[in-house]
Every structure is written in C-alpha cells, then in structure tokens.
C-alpha cells in the first residue's frame, strides 16, 4: 500500500490521476509481495504520463 500511495502522491503532484489504482496479491499463500494495479487510463493521461517521465528522465 505504501508503494501505491507514494505513486498516487507523485502523480497527483504532477497533475495526473489514474482512476483505479489498486493492490493485488497474485499468490494465494505466502505472498512475497503485492502488485500495484494501475488500471486503465485514457489517451490524454497516457500522454501526460509520458511527458512527465520524459522530463524526469532528462534531468
């Protein structure tokens, strides 16, 4: 949950909101870790993500 919350906070700071972020545990027993499911996003949100990532990567 910490990873999901950190990502949500970072995205919100960048002006981006994914509508359905969730936590999933794919293993029935002895979960090693959970997966952060980002859900679906629209084309404009995908472009915004690409722009933010590109700006960050160029630093």
């Amino acid at each position: 949950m910490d990873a999901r919350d950190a990502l949500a906070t970072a995205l919100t700071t960048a002006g981006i909101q994914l509508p359905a972020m969730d936590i999933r545990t794919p293993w029935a027993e002895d979960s090693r870790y959970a997966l952060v499911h980002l859900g679906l996003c629209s084309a404009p949100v995908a472009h915004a993500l690409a722009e933010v990532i590109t700006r960050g990567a160029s630093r």
Side-chain angles (χ1 to χ4, degrees):
M1 285 191 225
D2 290 340
R4 180 206 53 202
D5 295 345
L7 180 57
T9 298
L11 290 171
T12 299
T13 300
I16 298 168
Q17 181 179 0
L18 294 175
M21 292 179 69
D22 192 12
I23 303 295
R24 302 209 177 158
T25 306
W27 302 276
E29 297 177 17
D30 296 327
S31 297
R32 295 172 281 173
Y33 56 87
L35 300 175
V36 178
H37 180 22
L38 302 178
L40 299 174
C41 71
S42 65
V45 171
H47 281 292
L49 279 169
E51 181 181 334
V52 167
I53 292 168
T54 300
R55 273 189 281 150
S58 67
R59 288 184 188 184

